[in-house]
Amino acid sequence: MQFRSVFDIIGPVMIGPSSSHTAGAARIGLVARQLFETEPEWAAFHLYGSFAKTYEGHGTDVALVGGILGFDTFDDRMTTSFHHADKRGLRYTFIEEKAQPEHPNTVRIRLGKGEDVLELVGISIGGGKVEIKELNGFALRLSGNHPAILVMHDDRYGAIANVATRLAKNEINIGHMEVSRKEQGKEALMVIEVDENIDSETMHDLTMLEHVRRVTKIHD
């Protein structure tokens, strides 16, 4: 019996042969898709370190595209993600970068549709776990393994407190929270990991708060 790829042997429950290079890569792609909030027209994957050297043999390329399409690691379609991408008209490219990253399993993902573009940097730290290190130029630390919301807001007094108060009112517990800004008094990004998925009513309430520009979420 012939196998076309390692996915045919390992199966879709846990992408192999390396959880770092495949399951982790799929998770990074999925987080990027969730934050972009729609299916992109194109995707560019800038691969660094070990990712750049072994992405074809370890199925990192297949996993990244599958994640961008919204497939989780247990999705049967993950094994044929290139086929599904072609059917949907998704244009994708892989760029092997020579720069040495801080972590060997690093990818910079750029997604676009029309005038909307998202840029995200993620690392795969082993066992299928990931960290998102940068989003649209904002430094952050997001595990991608827990429900979370990202709040783009004006860097103004009371903005953070208003969001935290609203979550408390809706009985949502904060597990981890951090704020990143490029310049004082300008745009800032709040990253909040929570204990449960945020419902649509709470999302709406957050978007209506003063100084809040946009709220997106990822879920486990």
Side-chain angles (χ1 to χ4, degrees):
M1 182 176 182
Q2 291 184 338
F3 297 99
R4 291 177 294 175
S5 74
V6 294
F7 296 97
D8 296 326
I9 304 172
I10 302 297
V13 175
M14 183 66 175
I15 300 174
S18 167
S19 60
S20 295
H21 286 220
T22 45
R27 186 60 183 167
I28 295 171
L30 183 58
V31 170
R33 167 60 185 272
Q34 291 174 349
L35 293 177
F36 197 55
E37 297 186 296
T38 188
E39 187 160 292
E41 295 173 337
W42 59 266
F45 304 98
H46 298 259
L47 305 163
Y48 297 83
S50 183
F51 268 5
K53 295 177 181 177
T54 64
Y55 70 95
E56 291 179 306
H58 283 183
T60 305
D61 48 0
V62 175
L64 286 168
V65 170
I68 294 301
L69 292 174
F71 304 161
D72 213 327
T73 56
F74 51 79
D75 195 313
D76 290 339
R77 297 171 295 174
M78 181 66 76
T79 63
T80 54
S81 64
F82 287 177
H83 170 70
H84 291 284
D86 293 340
K87 285 183 63 177
R88 297 187 190 183
L90 173 66
R91 307 187 307 274
Y92 53 91
T93 56
F94 298 93
I95 301 96
E96 300 175 24
E97 300 287 0
K98 295 181 180 179
Q100 293 300 314
E102 294 184 6
H103 192 281
N105 301 327
T106 299
V107 59
R108 179 181 298 273
I109 299 176
R110 298 184 69 249
L111 304 178
K113 182 175 185 178
E115 296 182 355
D116 295 328
V117 177
L118 175 143
E119 185 168 324
L120 173 151
V121 176
I123 62 174
S124 178
I125 59 178
K129 297 184 180 298
V130 305
E131 285 186 6
I132 308 304
K133 307 296 290 185
E134 182 182 316
L135 177 64
N136 292 336
F138 287 95
L140 68 153
R141 185 181 60 186
L142 177 66
S143 73
N145 299 302
H146 303 284
I149 56 173
L150 286 81
V151 183
M152 194 66 68
H153 62 98
D154 297 322
D155 185 25
R156 298 289 190 275
Y157 177 83
I160 298 172
N162 288 342
V163 171
T165 299
R166 176 58 62 179
L167 291 176
K169 182 178 180 179
N170 290 17
E171 300 183 348
I172 297 171
N173 191 48
I174 297 174
H176 173 78
M177 178 177 181
E178 62 180 59
V179 180
S180 175
R181 62 185 183 182
K182 299 176 184 178
E183 186 178 347
Q184 183 177 353
K186 301 295 184 180
E187 196 174 48
L189 177 65
M190 216 181 302
V191 180
I192 308 172
E193 292 189 346
V194 293
D195 291 344
E196 58 191 274
N197 287 323
I198 304 294
D199 58 50
S200 58
E201 182 178 353
T202 301
M203 290 289 289
H204 177 265
D205 290 346
L206 293 173
T207 61
M208 299 302 293
L209 293 174
E210 187 178 10
H211 302 306
V212 170
R213 298 187 180 187
R214 183 178 180 182
V215 183
T216 56
K217 69 177 180 177
I218 63 172
H219 48 83
D220 60 356

